[in-house]
Amino acid sequence: MGKGCITVTKYFLFLFNLLFFIFGALIMGFGLWVLFDNQSFISVLHESSHTVKVASYIFIGVGSLSMAMGFFGCIGAIYEIRCLLGLYFTCLLLILIAQVTAGVLIYFQRDRLKYEMSNIIQGMIINYTGLNRTTEHTWDYIQKTMKCCGWTGPGNWSENLLIKNNTQKLYSCSCRNESLPGSDVKNVGLCENLSDELPVYETGCITSVEKWLRENCAVILGICIGVAVVELLGMILSMCLCKSVVQEDYTKVPKY
């Protein structure tokens, strides 16, 4: 391989490692968002399911590892250090295998995940009091913004312990359809209705969530494919550069 090709490969590898570092930062940021967010659908699952919390730590760990690999890959590419390039290739291969395995498991376990999610949401609705400022208020926010009621429909709220054991006609305030006549609009808690017809949305939130996933499926898939392509190109370039380095020259490495 000519000297010009080596130089081009080196700087292309540096660029891909920089992108890999940025992707790692995004993954770690997503994990931190899942862990600390309290204003979205994720926080409802987070407090009710230990799996989501574990997944957030995995995202943070993978993101941190990706950032570290990107950094060392940049150093190995610029200063042509074979051991760092080889280590970078090996770690990148392991991460790619882990990502493919995780994707396959999620695909084949999607019905089980959907069942678990349904149980979590319906259990939260049954025990809803309106006093929990994280899980319950987040669920109120979801119903309000997505204009939906319950998980499969407004009938889920008939299982709520407070509504079931109360002589008044109560409903979830965040289910309130503002286009229908009824009591004052509130964002959280349970509201009283005087008539038999409840002024609530008829669509369950599962329909809204599935619609959102369908609309954003192409974006999610595109991101996953983009990450995989970057990883494959990084592996190819690192091997090409590693083979071209006959003898390591550690004098190129800056000393502090």
Side-chain angles (χ1 to χ4, degrees):
M1 187 182 293
K3 187 176 180 180
C5 291
I6 295 175
T7 303
V8 171
T9 302
K10 180 169 65 174
Y11 285 105
F12 262 112
L13 184 58
F14 175 82
L15 177 61
F16 279 112
N17 276 289
L18 183 61
L19 291 175
F20 198 70
F21 181 87
I22 294 172
F23 277 128
L26 291 175
I27 293 171
M28 186 177 69
F30 178 74
L32 290 171
W33 172 69
V34 170
L35 187 62
F36 295 110
D37 178 70
N38 61 356
Q39 287 295 322
S40 71
F41 181 72
I42 293 293
S43 66
V44 177
L45 301 177
H46 184 274
E47 188 161 312
S48 305
S49 176
H50 183 66
T51 305
V52 177
K53 192 172 184 179
V54 172
S56 66
Y57 286 123
I58 292 174
F59 277 120
I60 293 171
V62 170
S64 301
L65 179 61
S66 299
M67 290 176 67
M69 284 179 55
F71 175 76
F72 289 117
C74 287
I75 299 297
I78 290 296
Y79 298 110
E80 301 177 13
I81 303 175
R82 295 187 69 180
C83 61
L84 285 181
L85 292 171
L87 179 63
Y88 171 76
F89 174 86
T90 303
C91 292
L92 205 56
L93 178 62
L94 292 175
I95 287 180
L96 185 61
I97 293 172
Q99 288 173 342
V100 172
T101 304
V104 171
L105 288 175
I106 290 172
Y107 178 79
F108 285 106
Q109 295 291 323
R110 62 188 185 280
D111 292 333
R112 181 180 177 182
L113 292 173
K114 184 177 179 181
Y115 176 76
E116 182 181 349
M117 187 183 298
S118 298
N119 287 338
I120 290 170
I121 301 300
Q122 290 176 6
M124 187 272 299
I125 290 175
I126 290 173
N127 297 293
Y128 179 92
T129 61
L131 301 177
N132 189 316
R133 290 186 175 273
T134 53
T135 306
E136 294 179 353
H137 285 196
T138 300
W139 180 248
D140 286 323
Y141 175 80
I142 292 166
Q143 290 189 137
K144 191 76 175 176
T145 54
M146 288 190 168
K147 296 182 178 181
C148 57
C149 188
W151 182 238
T152 57
N156 294 142
W157 283 100
S158 62
E159 299 297 321
N160 178 265
L161 297 177
L162 292 179
I163 294 177
K164 186 184 291 187
N165 298 322
N166 201 303
T167 56
Q168 298 173 319
K169 295 177 181 178
L170 302 177
Y171 66 94
S172 172
C173 297
S174 57
C175 284
R176 174 79 159 83
N177 188 339
E178 297 180 22
S179 64
L180 300 175
S183 57
D184 295 336
V185 178
K186 297 180 181 179
N187 293 327
V188 297
L190 299 174
C191 295
E192 183 181 0
N193 191 52
L194 300 178
S195 64
D196 293 331
E197 291 292 329
L198 297 177
V200 298
Y201 297 109
E202 296 297 325
T203 305
C205 291
I206 186 174
T207 304
S208 300
V209 171
E210 289 177 343
K211 180 182 178 182
W212 182 89
L213 289 174
R214 283 195 301 270
E215 291 175 349
N216 294 276
C217 182
V219 176
I220 297 171
L221 186 60
I223 292 173
C224 293
I225 293 174
V227 171
V229 169
V230 169
E231 290 173 346
L232 284 172
L233 288 174
M235 290 167 60
I236 294 170
L237 291 174
S238 64
M239 277 295 94
C240 290
L241 184 59
C242 190
K243 287 183 178 180
S244 68
V245 178
V246 179
Q247 186 175 1
E248 294 173 296
D249 186 5
Y250 290 101
T251 60
K252 296 179 181 180
V253 181
K255 297 178 174 60
Y256 298 100

